[in-house]
Amino acid sequence: MSPWTDFDVRLMRQAISLSKQGYPAPNPHVGCVIVHGNHVVGRGFHRFAGANHAEVEALNRAGAAAKGATAYVTLEPCNHHGRTPPCTEALLRAEVARVVVACSDPNPIAAGGLERLQSAGIKVEVGLLQEEASAANDQFLTAMRLKRPRIVLKATMSLDGRIALPSGESKWITGDDARRRAHRLRADCGAVLVGRRTVETDDPLLTARIPGVVNQPVRVVLDSSAKLGPQWRVFDQSAPTIHIVDGAFGLRAGPNGFDLAELCRTLFEQGINGLLVEGGAGTIGRFIEACLMDRIELFVAPKVLGSGPSWVEGLGIHALTQAPAFEVLSLKKLKADVQISLRVEHGNFQGVGTDIAQ
């Protein structure tokens, strides 16, 4: 029999719903609901890195009513000083009586909160709606497990898979709604990567220009031969930029560019938990070839261009049994376009060049 009541489940679902708000990258998504008796006295979520954590925001709203209350939290309260003080200390000061947690924290730097609360006499329960809370916090948990950023490949294209006309004209293939969603992907991931040719062709800004974004995503530019100068917009002061040239962070460029697995491990060590790969086609192809992707987001406009560059190239596939296959998670009709979300099944795809069991 479950140790939790229907009331517990309902309140944790509220916390999970709250956790999906905000743009906290590279921090985790966390939601918190505080209940005294049968009444909700405080709600909170982590809005952005550097802001109050969900528990502190909920406690501030609860005030004195937090004493003797139950806190429902989607992730184990942190137990370390980062940009903000430990949430465990805030819960102890508020004198809550019970803390119900969906997921323990796999980050060794922040973990230990449950033991700290229990040692102070607070009743702690763990595991309520763990799968739902984990799904809402997939980026952070995936990065902690794989020791690399959770990688999302994104492309915008016509019905025939073209990202531009042969002349290079590409503004705008898709409509406003698709572009807003792409900006949200940047903010959600917290970092966006492109190659040198994309910078030279499009001169993109690569920022997230939507309401609610406080910390702009880190821009990662692959430029093994160090050909890009400061005149490009990606190097302006509107967002932080990591310029990856030969020798940066100890990375060495080979004949085909950088070792992407080593690059991703390095970005993780620099505090990046999510990475949106926006292209171009060769860069996206190299990530697919290396099986370094967790999701693919495609924005498709109901237009046919007939010719022009494709959204992916360079895979070197010679047989259908070598072609990577993906699970379609959703098809969303936007105002003028379609968004296709796909998931990569790593167990069925080890990289291009090997036959895949059908």
Side-chain angles (χ1 to χ4, degrees), residues 8-232:
D8 290 327
V9 171
R10 187 164 70 251
L11 270 296
M12 184 59 82
R13 284 222 165 92
Q14 287 188 28
I16 294 171
S17 180
L18 283 167
S19 77
K20 298 176 183 179
Q21 302 183 57
Y23 299 104
N27 291 350
H29 280 272
V30 183
C32 178
V33 176
I34 297 176
V35 178
H36 196 120
N38 293 323
H39 302 285
V40 174
V41 295
R43 294 184 176 91
F45 63 92
H46 191 27
R47 298 175 183 272
F48 61 90
N52 285 336
H53 288 191
E55 299 94 318
V56 173
E57 187 169 291
L59 288 170
N60 287 343
R61 293 179 182 275
K67 184 175 182 179
T70 295
Y72 296 86
V73 191
T74 58
L75 185 69
E76 176 182 357
C78 65
N79 193 44
H80 79 299
H81 282 270
R83 296 191 191 187
T84 59
C87 292
T88 51
E89 298 303 322
L91 291 164
L92 291 172
R93 284 195 304 271
E95 299 184 51
V96 301
R98 176 180 175 230
V99 176
V100 182
V101 175
C103 306
S104 58
D105 193 336
N107 184 358
I109 296 175
L114 301 179
E115 292 82 358
R116 176 72 182 91
L117 296 173
Q118 287 175 322
S119 67
I122 293 178
K123 184 178 182 182
V124 175
E125 301 168 20
V126 185
L128 175 59
L129 299 183
Q130 180 176 350
E131 289 188 8
E132 291 182 32
S134 296
N137 206 15
D138 181 55
Q139 177 168 295
F140 176 77
L141 296 176
T142 297
M144 290 299 108
R145 184 179 74 252
L146 299 178
K147 306 304 179 187
R148 64 157 174 79
R150 176 179 176 268
I151 300 169
V152 180
L153 309 184
K154 173 259 175 184
T156 298
M157 70 192 72
S158 62
L159 282 175
D160 51 343
R162 310 294 181 178
I163 60 174
L165 291 170
S167 64
E169 181 184 353
S170 62
K171 295 182 180 180
W172 299 98
I173 292 177
T174 54
D176 292 342
D177 196 19
R179 291 197 294 275
R180 281 192 296 269
R181 287 172 179 262
H183 281 246
R184 177 165 185 165
L185 281 172
R186 292 175 180 175
D188 281 335
C189 289
V192 54
L193 180 146
V194 296
R196 173 179 57 82
R197 284 187 295 175
T198 294
V199 173
E200 293 174 332
T201 301
D202 299 336
D203 193 16
L205 194 56
L206 300 182
T207 53
R209 300 182 291 280
I210 52 175
V213 175
V214 175
N215 301 317
Q216 284 293 336
V218 177
R219 303 173 294 194
V220 182
V221 180
L222 301 185
D223 180 21
S224 59
S225 54
K227 292 183 177 180
L228 296 175
Q231 72 273 22
W232 302 102

Side-chain angles (χ1 to χ4, degrees), residues 281-282 284-286 289 312-317 352:
I284 288 177
R286 287 198 60 217
E289 188 176 33
V312 62
E313 64 181 28
L315 294 181
I317 295 171
V352 173

